[in-house]
Amino acid sequence: FEFQRGPIFAHLILADEINRATPKTQSAMLEAMQEKQVTAGGELRKLGEPFFVMATQNPIDQEGTYPLPEAQLDRFFFFFIVGYPSADELNEVINRTTTGTKTEVNKVLTREALSELMKLVREVPVASHVKDYAVRLVLATHPKTDTAAPIANQYLRFGSSPRGAQTLILAGKVRALAQGRFNVSFEDIQSAALPALRHRLIPNFEAEAEGITTDHIIAQILRDVPVSAEAVNA
């Protein structure tokens, strides 16, 4: 027998409507995302670097779907909510799909260049007071602890994992570089809070009953947690 590599052996994976995958498939995807490897026939096969997974979930028509485990959601760096397209976006969709126009795909950068950029991101320095702010934001999401924000105690069952803090810092570094800066600011951390944390918070029954979303909780935590640690101890 000869092993045939499937679509997971690529650098950029697009998983459309991932919640329609069976639990066994989701488990295999979790191994690939966490361990960067595939186990088949008792043999481990490493995945190439860089390795990214982009996935979509349809918020309607949930029949025949399998909710993603929290452990798998936690492996995703960002969670974006895609709303209805604007008039300009809808016009662009129409232009691209109802005419004879052919889209040309051009190389933006090489795999090696992307790997170098990923290394550069990690070299961006973060001041201790900015790092402390990111830590305090994450700690404020932990209900029934001394550091919990009031809204977390009221509406959350579980708060963010340590990956939430890692994501805030890395996303802040990327934003700083994109704006031509080699240092991370408080605004960089704040701009990443919603996409970095919204899928890492688990609301309780009270939140679900009152229609309180994780976005609402994060927004309130951003208002409650001061950027200065001295303000906390005052």
Side-chain angles (χ1 to χ4, degrees):
F1 294 98
E2 181 179 341
F3 178 75
Q4 299 293 325
R5 295 195 169 200
I8 196 67
F9 288 91
H11 296 296
L12 177 59
I13 309 299
L14 175 58
D16 190 28
E17 296 193 10
I18 192 173
N19 53 328
R20 293 197 180 278
T22 64
K24 184 176 181 179
T25 301
Q26 291 182 7
S27 177
M29 178 69 77
L30 179 59
E31 179 189 7
M33 294 174 65
Q34 175 62 27
E35 307 297 338
K36 304 297 175 62
Q37 67 184 27
V38 170
T39 303
E43 183 177 347
L44 299 180
R45 292 176 170 84
K46 291 293 183 180
L47 298 170
E49 292 284 355
F51 179 77
F52 296 95
V53 175
M54 297 177 62
T56 66
Q57 288 193 91
N58 197 329
I60 60 176
D61 187 19
Q62 298 299 313
E63 184 176 354
T65 63
Y66 303 87
L68 268 66
E70 285 79 8
Q72 185 168 1
L73 279 173
D74 197 25
R75 265 65 177 184
F76 284 97
F77 192 80
F78 272 173
F79 187 107
F80 292 106
I81 298 175
V82 181
Y84 291 111
S86 65
D88 290 340
E89 292 168 342
L90 196 53
N91 270 303
E92 185 63 27
V93 170
I94 293 172
N95 292 336
R96 293 188 186 188
T97 58
T98 64
T99 65
T101 304
K102 293 184 178 180
T103 302
E104 293 186 6
V105 179
N106 300 311
K107 180 186 293 185
V108 178
L109 73 170
T110 64
R111 177 173 63 87
E112 291 76 16
L114 179 57
S115 296
E116 289 301 316
L117 287 174
M118 292 170 63
K119 293 178 182 177
L120 178 62
V121 166
R122 294 182 176 274
E123 295 177 5
V124 176
V126 182
S128 58
H129 58 283
V130 176
K131 188 186 304 181
D132 175 70
Y133 176 61
V135 169
R136 286 187 286 110
L137 282 178
V138 170
L139 291 179
T141 70
H142 296 166
K144 306 300 184 290
T145 65
D146 294 338
T147 58
I151 196 169
N153 283 328
Q154 183 176 1
Y155 291 121
L156 290 181
R157 283 196 296 128
F158 297 101
S160 172
S161 69
R163 285 190 179 86
Q166 293 171 334
T167 301
L168 288 175
I169 295 298
L170 286 174
K173 291 184 176 188
V174 171
R175 186 175 186 268
L177 280 180
Q179 296 187 354
R181 293 179 283 107
F182 207 64
N183 64 288
V184 180
S185 67
F186 292 121
E187 291 75 16
D188 294 327
I189 302 298
Q190 292 165 346
S191 69
L194 285 177
L197 299 178
R198 61 163 55 108
H199 58 301
R200 294 185 165 96
L201 307 184
I202 302 179
N204 58 21
F205 177 77
E206 184 178 354
E208 294 175 359
E210 296 184 18
I212 303 297
T213 65
T214 54
D215 279 19
H216 176 88
I217 296 171
I218 295 168
Q220 185 60 50
I221 288 175
L222 286 172
R223 290 189 288 268
D224 289 346
V225 177
V227 295
S228 170
E230 286 73 16
V232 177
N233 299 323

